[in-house]
Amino acid sequence: MIDATLSSNVGIVLKIRMQLPVSLWIGLRYSQSRKGNAFISFISLFSIAGIFLGVMALTIVSSVMNGFEGDLKKRILGVIPHIIVEADNDNLAWQQKLAADNSVLQLSPFLQTEALVQAPRQLTGVVMQGVTIDALPSFMQHALMQGSWQQFASQRYAVVLGRGLAEQLNVSVGAQVRLMLANAGSYTPMGWVPRQRLFTVTGILDTGSDVDRVIVVTGLADLQRLLSQPDTTAWRITLADPFTAPLLSAKLAQDPSLKVTDWRQSHGKLFAAVAMEKGMMWLMLLLIVAVAAFNIVSALVMMVTDKQAEIAILKTLGMTDKQLFNIFAMQGISNGVVGAISGAIAGILLSWQLNNILSVLGLHISSVAVLPIDIQLQQILLILLSAVMLTLLAVWYPARKAVRVNPAEILRDE
């Protein structure tokens, strides 16, 4: 019974193989064969291993870089306004257009100005935001490490300081700090005096970024009184994806009555540097894949030289140049595909468990508790496609060399 089942399975496999195109069938036979020149087999396995390691490393590094970029975007752009629009109060047409835009999460009145904050022994420059409690970005709501937003909303002239700023000023919740506005003040017999007032610290904000060193949040009404601007003329636009801000800013800027700025003015260079670093890492690791892929060239060239007699026999039996080209192209491509797919799978699994692996090995990144990992399927597919394309380039020359074999010269001494 077992022999009959085994014979049936073998018959099915043979039937499937016989239905394959002859060039594909022979190419797969060559790629699976381990007989003959052992050095050629070693070079082939070496090229597969190189593609495997390169794709795996590229997958892991890309996932970590994606995680860092996403974490940076969440921590910085979760506090910094995505877009600020300054407009006349009677111009509401642009707001009606934004209401129909699915990329816009929130539109809220907002004020932002530069200021000086003074504690008993410290004085430093800050960015002061005037917000309404019901229009706080989601990340900012959850980033409050001390105090409460309810107390902030219920108390006049209250401020929430970034953690780094609070540590620099050596103040805590309940302390008072003096805020001075450089762009608002009055002339006195003593000269220009900036407008200033004491504020009570009701909370400490921890975003985990450098924004903590410069951010001061206060109530919109309090900042309006301090600036003597009872009517708000600025609006904060919060987007689902902050990286789409340039497109929406350009669209809004077409209205000459609007003054539009976005996060690129304050943090554009930082994210451009992150994107450049990410691209350079991707390129350098892709070069590893390219070197491994071009190892296939040497393996296939040696195989073509080793199998010249078989190539000549196939050509005399009527095999076309296209079929012969496909035989050796299929062998090289199969090696590249096996290395790329296995490398991508290993890279995904290692990325998924990377923090656990680092913990087991006793390796710790001092600046972060855990490495942020973001595995993006479209990027994995791009890595696979790049590896396969490099393999296609690598197999072209050996396959063309096989096509140019002259049967008369090879077989004349046989």
Side-chain angles (χ1 to χ4, degrees):
M1 183 67 179
I2 295 175
D3 292 341
T5 303
L6 187 60
S7 299
S8 176
N9 293 337
V10 171
I12 292 172
V13 172
L14 290 175
K15 184 177 180 181
I16 293 173
R17 286 200 168 189
M18 292 304 292
Q19 290 177 349
L20 293 174
V22 63
S23 55
L24 177 61
W25 188 74
I26 296 175
L28 291 175
R29 284 277 315 259
Y30 278 170
S31 65
Q32 295 171 3
S33 175
R34 291 293 176 262
K35 296 180 181 179
N37 194 322
F39 185 68
I40 296 176
S41 298
F42 171 76
I43 294 295
S44 297
L45 290 174
F46 187 79
S47 62
I48 293 174
I51 294 173
F52 168 84
L53 292 174
V55 170
M56 181 182 70
L58 190 53
T59 301
I60 294 172
V61 171
S62 296
S63 299
V64 173
M65 292 297 292
N66 291 338
F68 271 118
E69 185 180 47
D71 194 58
L72 200 62
K73 180 167 68 172
K74 179 185 73 173
R75 293 182 180 278
I76 293 181
L77 301 184
V79 178
I80 299 299
H82 300 165
I83 299 177
I84 299 176
V85 178
E86 297 180 30
D88 297 330
N89 289 335
D90 55 352
N91 182 7
L92 300 178
W94 65 275
Q95 296 186 22
Q96 296 171 358
K97 293 179 181 179
L98 287 180
D101 193 332
N102 294 329
S103 65
V104 177
L105 295 180
Q106 193 176 61
L107 177 66
S108 58
F110 179 80
L111 278 178
Q112 180 170 287
T113 186
E114 295 179 350
L116 291 173
V117 60
Q118 183 182 25
R121 296 183 180 179
Q122 289 286 340
L123 178 69
T124 187
V126 295
V127 175
M128 194 172 183
Q129 294 184 357
V131 301
T132 54
I133 189 65
D134 56 346
L136 284 172
S138 176
F139 176 75
M140 187 181 287
Q141 293 179 23
H142 295 94
L144 195 68
M145 61 174 292
Q146 292 181 26
S148 68
W149 290 113
Q150 289 74 19
Q151 183 182 1
F152 170 82
S154 62
Q155 185 172 341
R156 288 188 64 183
Y157 295 108
V159 290
V160 171
L161 305 180
R163 180 180 179 179
L165 180 60
E167 291 175 352
Q168 181 182 351
L169 298 175
N170 194 24
V171 296
S172 58
V173 173
Q176 286 192 324
V177 294
R178 183 177 298 275
L179 281 160
M180 296 175 285
L181 304 181
N183 58 351
S186 58
Y187 286 100
T188 69
M190 301 297 294
W192 174 264
V193 176
R195 194 163 294 161
Q196 55 187 291
R197 188 176 181 88
L198 285 175
F199 283 75
T200 302
V201 179
T202 58
I204 305 296
L205 195 68
D206 184 13
T207 67
S209 68
D210 287 342
V211 175
D212 288 341
R213 296 181 176 273
V214 296
I215 191 71
V216 173
V217 181
T218 189
L220 178 62
D222 294 336
L223 187 55
Q224 285 176 332
R225 282 191 292 268
L226 193 59
L227 287 169
S228 297
Q229 295 180 3
D231 298 324
T232 301
T233 58
W235 296 82
R236 176 183 194 150
I237 300 175
T238 303
L239 303 175
D241 182 6
F243 285 177
T244 61
L247 295 176
L248 185 57
S249 295
K251 192 181 298 183
L252 291 171
Q254 294 175 0
D255 187 342
S257 66
L258 302 180
K259 182 181 178 182
V260 183
T261 57
D262 59 50
W263 59 265
R264 291 176 300 168
Q265 273 70 42
S266 58
H267 290 81
K269 292 182 180 179
L270 171 64
F271 283 93
V274 171
M276 184 179 67
E277 182 180 359
K278 182 179 174 182
M280 291 304 298
M281 290 289 292
W282 202 91
L283 179 61
M284 287 188 292
L285 289 172
L286 189 62
L287 289 176
I288 297 175
V289 179
V291 171
F294 279 89
N295 279 335
I296 295 174
V297 175
S298 56
L300 288 182
V301 167
M302 286 187 289
M303 177 163 283
V304 168
T305 304
D306 188 55
K307 296 187 177 296
Q308 284 187 337
E310 296 178 23
I311 294 170
I313 293 171
L314 289 173
K315 294 190 78 170
T316 57
L317 290 175
M319 178 167 284
T320 64
D321 288 348
K322 181 179 179 181
Q323 289 175 317
L324 196 60
F325 182 92
N326 290 339
I327 287 175
F328 290 94
M330 179 53 60
Q331 183 183 1
I333 291 170
S334 64
N335 289 343
V337 169
V338 168
I341 292 178
S342 57
I345 293 173
I348 291 171
L349 293 176
L350 287 174
S351 298
W352 179 42
Q353 293 294 325
L354 187 58
N355 285 300
N356 292 333
I357 294 172
L358 292 176
S359 178
V360 170
L361 296 176
L363 301 175
H364 302 284
I365 308 298
S366 59
S367 58
V368 291
V370 295
L371 283 175
I373 304 295
D374 182 12
I375 302 173
Q376 297 181 2
L377 179 60
Q378 67 272 20
Q379 199 166 60
I380 303 299
L381 293 176
L382 180 61
I383 293 171
L384 286 172
L385 182 61
S386 300
V388 172
M389 290 300 296
L390 289 171
T391 304
L392 285 173
L393 292 175
V395 302
W396 186 84
Y397 172 73
R400 288 294 299 171
K401 183 178 176 66
V403 168
R404 292 173 181 170
V405 169
N406 189 342
E409 293 182 359
I410 300 301
L411 298 178
R412 65 184 176 184
D413 295 329
E414 295 293 331

